[in-house]
Amino acid sequence: GCTDINATNYDADALCDDGTCVGSCGSVLADNGGTDNYLNSSADTTVICPSGDEFVVLEFLAFEVEDGSVDGCWDDLQIWEDTDGDTVIDTIADNQFDGGVFMDDNSGGFCGNSVDDLPNGGTFINSTAGNCMILVFSSDGSVNQAGYKAGIGCATADQIGCTDAIAENFDMNALFDNGTCEFIEGCTDETALNFNPEATLEDGSCIAACGSTFVDNGGIDGNYESNSGDTTILCPNSADEALVVEFASF
């Protein structure tokens, strides 16, 4: 039977999960460990279906699943959109979500150390209204971690879109971000020689000017961002000058 205590069809008498668990909109999805680490040798399947013509939305609140194997993940969570409507994974007909920092080469499942390691900030939205979402969690026989927790939501088409206010296609009515935000790329550092006042997304092209201060993407007081990949070019004002960089903190 269903051994997921958060599922609508949880069976308290079941000892072995048979993949029949069904999540519901407005509930919380969590791994099989509850408040503790997830169990070793897990093989759990959860199906989340919307109400009528709504979109399933899964927003992760916590995520820590063991990575580091040769294939990418020791344990992993697969997330699929059930496009053929049979609530069973079909690797040809159904669509598997991908991206993020860590993925298993074999299963295509996600692992990692935080929600930041997941694609789209940990928010997954089906592409078609009415489709169910299927999740498969697998763990090996050792080293379990804190696992995952996610809110399950159902949304109408007008509630889905770009929620970033600085994006070109910001949708003030959208409640859930679907990863479609569009930005103007360029140098956003006001002290740089090639500062672009219209740019809304730093592209690593900034050229620092002599006499200015350059800092990481966290700003003067904040921590730098996860998964950064920034490039800064420093050039002297003229060919006969030597460039000097003095670090004030590191």
Side-chain angles (χ1 to χ4, degrees):
C2 173
T3 60
D4 185 350
I5 60 175
N6 301 287
T8 57
N9 61 330
Y10 167 64
D11 185 349
D13 297 323
L15 300 177
C16 182
D17 193 282
D18 62 358
T20 61
C21 294
V22 178
S24 62
C25 297
S27 63
V28 175
L29 171 74
D31 61 81
N32 54 31
T35 57
D36 298 321
N37 289 0
Y38 55 76
L39 303 177
N40 291 325
S41 304
S42 299
D44 303 334
T45 299
T46 301
V47 180
I48 304 170
C49 295
S51 303
D53 292 330
E54 293 182 321
F55 295 81
V56 173
V57 179
L58 193 64
E59 293 184 296
F60 278 85
L61 308 172
F63 189 81
E64 187 179 345
V65 176
E66 186 187 11
D67 63 74
S69 76
V70 174
D71 297 318
C73 301
W74 290 109
D75 309 323
D76 68 79
L77 178 66
Q78 301 175 47
I79 304 178
W80 294 77
E81 179 174 357
D82 180 34
T83 58
D84 59 8
D86 62 359
T87 65
V88 177
I89 292 177
D90 184 327
T91 57
I92 297 177
D94 296 334
N95 295 327
Q96 186 174 20
F97 288 89
D98 58 12
V101 178
F102 301 102
M103 285 182 60
D104 190 78
D105 293 338
N106 294 320
S107 70
F110 301 107
C111 57
N113 304 302
S114 71
V115 174
D116 290 337
D117 290 337
L118 295 171
N120 195 37
T123 298
F124 297 82
I125 304 175
N126 277 350
S127 63
T128 303
N131 284 352
C132 296
M133 188 179 290
I134 305 175
L135 296 91
V136 179
F137 176 63
S138 302
S139 64
D140 59 17
S142 62
V143 188
N144 46 23
Q145 295 188 322
Y148 56 87
K149 176 190 276 188
I152 301 174
C154 289
T156 55
D158 61 329
Q159 295 175 319
I160 298 172
C162 173
T163 61
D164 193 325
I166 67 171
E168 295 298 295
N169 58 333
F170 168 63
D171 184 351
M172 63 180 299
N173 296 314
L175 301 178
F176 304 100
D177 195 290
N178 61 356
T180 60
C181 293
E182 300 173 358
F183 303 91
I184 298 176
E185 297 187 10
C187 175
T188 60
D189 184 351
E190 295 183 1
T191 66
L193 293 175
N194 60 331
F195 167 63
N196 182 358
E198 297 182 355
T200 55
L201 180 65
E202 173 61 50
D203 65 355
S205 65
C206 292
I207 300 175
C210 290
S212 63
T213 300
F214 90 98
V215 297
D216 59 73
N217 53 32
I220 296 176
D221 299 318
N223 292 347
Y224 56 78
E225 298 173 0
S226 300
N227 307 317
S228 297
D230 303 335
T231 299
T232 301
I233 300 175
L234 309 176
C235 296
N237 292 330
S238 62
D240 59 352
E241 291 183 327
L243 188 67
V244 179
V245 177
E246 292 183 295
F247 280 86
S249 62
F250 186 83

